[in-house]
Amino acid sequence: MKKDISQLNPDQISTTAVEATNLDFSLAGYDYELPPERIAQNPAVPRDSSRLLVVNSQTTGKETLPLHYIFRDLPDILRPGDLLIMNDTKVIPARLFGRKTSGAEVEILLLEERKFNCWLALVKPGKRFKKGTQIVFERLGTGDWGLGNGLDQLTATVLETDAATGGRLLQFDLPEGKSLVQVLDQFGEIPLPPYITASQAADEQYQTVYAEQPGAIAAPTAGLHFTPELLEKLGDRHIHQAFITLHVGVGTFRPVEVEDVATHQMHEEWIEVSAATVEKIKATKAAGGRIIAVGTTVVRALEGAAVSGELQPFCGKTNLFIYPGYKWQVVEGLITNFHLPSSSLLMLVSALIGRERLLNIYQEAIASGYRFYSFGDAMLILPEGVSQLTVDS
């Protein structure tokens, strides 16, 4: 089944949304100050040695402050019978540096393939990417990558401008039958977020240990904390795992720029929720287990696949935007990193536990020395910590 999922519609707004404050729907309500030194430039080593802030209460008074753990403690915090849902997308070397035939240097960030070897990309400097412009990329590596001898360059032609993103559609010229994805590791680099400016991380440290499906331009960072040993320990405790795929794109990381949050339009991202995962979720709930999403991308995939009111297998695109007042269908708990101000991700987590409470928790995390953003520490919101105002009754 393939279809597009529309924005949040009135049937998905909780009847308790009227209890939200005006700031919940104002961009100004999602701002906070973060000291620059709290932005993690490198991941924790080993991965599961990162810190874990646990929210297990519906209030944040002094008597119910968040609890502080290490991520490897997760098997002792969750319950046997719980189900972790993970995103198995894999980051592709989506950042390419090239030059026009005139010699001018340019940079592109691939977003998604629109048709075979025709990709939507963000470009800079944008004025140099007019229709018909040809870009040449030099090969970075020297290995045998299956295109034959003597091909040291990759070329692309600008077809048109994409109004929704401000990007360009680029048609790549490759030998017949060859896909750009097959050669990207020879021409491209793994793109780290712009706030990571002094990292010594290896490429594999910006991939989850269970990454399998190439297509993302950013990592589902909540999953970066897992190690094979931790996954095995979770399994031994009968805390099970299932997978979805959401290829992280511009929809996830672009900031919200409209003052009225409810008018924000998410860019579409490709998702797949398999029949096997749907059956695991239904069986877990029937047995009294809890559904814990590993990352906001998993939330969007699961809730997007349940847009009709019932979780079903789904393969297609979603532009679902979750903000306070959303009526939850599938997800009961969440593992997530700490997100940027004014981001759709911050709004999604606010929909789960409340905006003001989330910002108070962030202040606690800052005061306690937590590391923020992609390579930073994690937060676990247990079902008992979810605000009753956001749960469909």
Side-chain angles (χ1 to χ4, degrees):
M1 175 178 64
K2 290 191 176 184
K3 62 179 179 179
D4 289 344
I5 298 175
S6 63
Q7 287 287 111
L8 196 65
N9 61 58
D11 291 338
Q12 292 172 275
I13 298 290
S14 170
T15 55
T16 60
V18 292
E19 299 184 45
T21 68
N22 289 336
L23 279 176
D24 288 342
F25 305 107
S26 169
L27 186 61
Y30 295 91
D31 194 19
Y32 69 91
E33 291 188 9
L34 181 70
E37 63 271 18
R38 296 269 64 84
I39 302 175
Q41 296 297 310
N42 290 287
V45 178
R47 293 168 182 255
D48 60 2
S49 65
S50 56
R51 298 178 68 186
L52 179 65
L53 186 151
V54 177
V55 180
N56 68 348
S57 169
Q58 294 172 20
T59 62
T60 53
K62 291 183 179 180
E63 72 283 0
T64 55
L65 287 173
L67 304 176
H68 304 285
Y69 291 87
I70 303 300
F71 199 85
R72 70 173 69 95
D73 297 328
L74 191 61
D76 298 320
I77 302 170
L78 298 178
R79 300 174 184 170
D82 286 346
L83 180 64
L84 292 170
I85 312 291
M86 302 171 172
N87 185 2
D88 65 1
T89 190
K90 187 173 185 179
V91 184
I92 60 175
R95 176 168 286 129
L96 287 79
F97 298 89
R99 53 182 170 78
K100 292 173 56 180
T101 51
S102 65
E105 295 182 350
V106 295
E107 177 185 346
I108 72 168
L109 177 65
L110 299 172
L111 296 182
E112 63 183 29
E113 189 173 29
R114 290 288 177 87
K115 57 183 180 179
F116 188 65
N117 287 337
C118 180
W119 283 72
L120 173 63
L122 298 180
V123 301
K124 64 179 182 182
K127 292 181 180 179
R128 294 180 179 174
F129 283 82
K130 296 180 180 179
K131 184 176 180 179
T133 299
Q134 189 173 68
I135 313 298
V136 179
F137 305 94
E138 301 290 342
R139 185 170 63 159
L140 301 177
T142 58
D144 178 11
W145 36 281
L147 288 180
N149 296 324
L151 184 59
D152 294 323
Q153 292 183 338
L154 180 66
T155 61
T157 303
V158 179
L159 298 184
E160 60 182 282
T161 298
D162 179 68
T165 62
R168 303 294 190 275
L169 285 178
L170 302 179
Q171 181 66 55
F172 287 85
D173 182 20
L174 288 159
E176 185 176 356
K178 295 296 181 181
S179 167
L180 180 62
V181 174
Q182 293 176 295
V183 304
L184 270 181
D185 59 345
Q186 297 298 320
F187 289 94
E189 300 177 355
I190 295 292
L192 292 178
Y195 48 77
I196 297 179
T197 58
S199 181
Q200 290 78 51
D203 285 352
E204 58 267 22
Q205 290 178 285
Y206 195 58
Q207 303 276 14
T208 64
V209 297
Y210 46 77
E212 287 190 358
Q213 308 297 332
I217 63 170
T221 54
L224 294 179
H225 307 281
F226 289 90
T227 64
E229 295 78 15
L230 179 57
L231 292 172
E232 182 177 0
K233 186 175 180 181
L234 286 162
D236 291 341
R237 298 287 181 90
H238 302 287
I239 299 163
H240 306 296
Q241 299 137 40
F243 296 90
I244 58 87
T245 303
L246 183 147
H247 290 321
V248 186
V250 68
T252 292
F253 65 79
R254 270 208 163 164
V256 177
E257 297 177 334
V258 292
E259 271 305 317
D260 182 355
V261 165
T263 65
H264 173 65
Q265 298 291 313
M266 290 285 285
H267 186 77
E268 292 181 328
E269 292 173 309
W270 187 89
I271 66 173
E272 182 174 8
V273 180
S274 69
T277 292
V278 170
E279 288 306 311
K280 276 191 174 183
I281 290 172
K282 291 181 177 179
T284 297
K285 289 196 171 190
R290 306 175 299 178
I291 308 304
I292 311 294
V294 179
T296 56
T297 60
V298 172
V299 173
R300 289 191 68 215
L302 293 179
E303 296 295 321
V307 74
S308 64
E310 180 182 357
L311 180 63
Q312 297 177 351
F314 181 86
C315 182
K317 289 185 175 182
T318 180
N319 63 352
L320 179 64
F321 174 39
I322 297 175
Y323 55 91
Y326 178 77
K327 186 168 65 176
W328 296 89
Q329 306 290 332
V330 183
V331 172
E332 297 169 299
L334 173 65
I335 296 172
T336 186
N337 282 19
F338 297 91
H339 302 295
L340 276 73
S342 304
S343 65
S344 64
L345 308 182
L346 195 65
M347 295 167 191
L348 183 152
V349 182
S350 295
L352 194 63
I353 64 172
R355 179 194 57 83
E356 187 174 358
R357 186 156 69 107
L358 179 63
L359 292 178
N360 288 339
I361 291 171
Y362 270 41
Q363 292 307 311
E364 164 74 9
I366 292 170
S368 300
Y370 277 72
R371 303 162 71 243
F372 274 54
Y373 304 163
S374 296
F375 281 146
D377 297 313
M379 176 168 66
L380 167 62
I381 301 170
L382 290 168
E384 53 266 35
V386 173
S387 171
Q388 288 300 306
L389 290 182
T390 65
V391 176
D392 179 22
S393 58

